[in-house]
């Protein structure tokens, strides 16, 4: 077992790191087969399949078309990120505006809004309240765009 400075690496931490490694390779190489992911990560095909099942269950990856990787053998199933799955919300406070952006794993912008505000004389509470309203608007708009009821 690998040791960190804090002590032994916990099983859950190792699994999270392995999930991140596989997801990163899917993002970089998509569409990619399980066999190719095993080569890229150094994990066994069984480990890759188990990790992909977790990622698929979380809505982060999806299976695609059959792919013939080599000259022989049965075709593999291509795996890619699920652009309609998880998304990230980014917020920005500037002296003269507030901004919100929702970006999904497929690198598609689901929502972007920039609102002009002179924030120099505003209290921090007022700025945060305005940013909170903008964040809520961004989340609802992104959910609506994805066809998901809030």
């Amino acid at each position: 077992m690998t040791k960190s400075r804090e002590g032994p690496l916990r099983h859950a931490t190792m699994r999270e790191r392995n999930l991140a490694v596989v997801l990163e390779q899917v993002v970089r190489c998509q569409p990619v087969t399980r066999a190719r992911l095993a080569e890229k990560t150094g994990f066994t095909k069984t480990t890759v399949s188990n990790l992909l099942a977790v990622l698929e269950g979380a809505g982060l990856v999806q299976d695609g078309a059959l792919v013939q990787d080599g000259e022989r053998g049965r075709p593999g199933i291509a795996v890619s990120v699920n652009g309609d799955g998880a998304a990230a919300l980014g917020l920005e406070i500037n002296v003269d505006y507030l901004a919100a952006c929702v970006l999904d794993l497929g690198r598609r912008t689901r929502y972007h809004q920039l609102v002009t505000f002179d924030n120099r004389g505003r209290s921090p509470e007022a700025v945060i309240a305005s940013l909170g309203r903008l964040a809520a608007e961004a989340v609802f708009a992104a959910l609506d765009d994805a066809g998901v009821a809030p």
Side-chain angles (χ1 to χ4, degrees), residues 88-104:
L89 171 65
L91 301 170
E92 182 179 0
I93 299 173
N94 204 306
V95 292
D96 55 356
Y97 68 85
L98 300 175
C101 182
V102 177
L103 189 68
D104 65 29

Side-chain angles (χ1 to χ4, degrees), residues 13-27:
T13 304
M14 186 181 303
R15 185 166 180 84
E16 288 171 7
R17 287 182 184 173
N18 291 349
L19 287 165
V21 166
V22 170
L23 182 59
E24 179 183 2
Q25 288 303 315
V26 171
V27 169

Side-chain angles (χ1 to χ4, degrees), residues 137-148:
E137 182 182 318
V139 168
F140 287 122
L143 288 171
D144 186 50
D145 179 57
V148 177

Side-chain angles (χ1 to χ4, degrees), residues 32 78 99 110 128:
V32 60
R110 291 192 189 174
I128 295 299

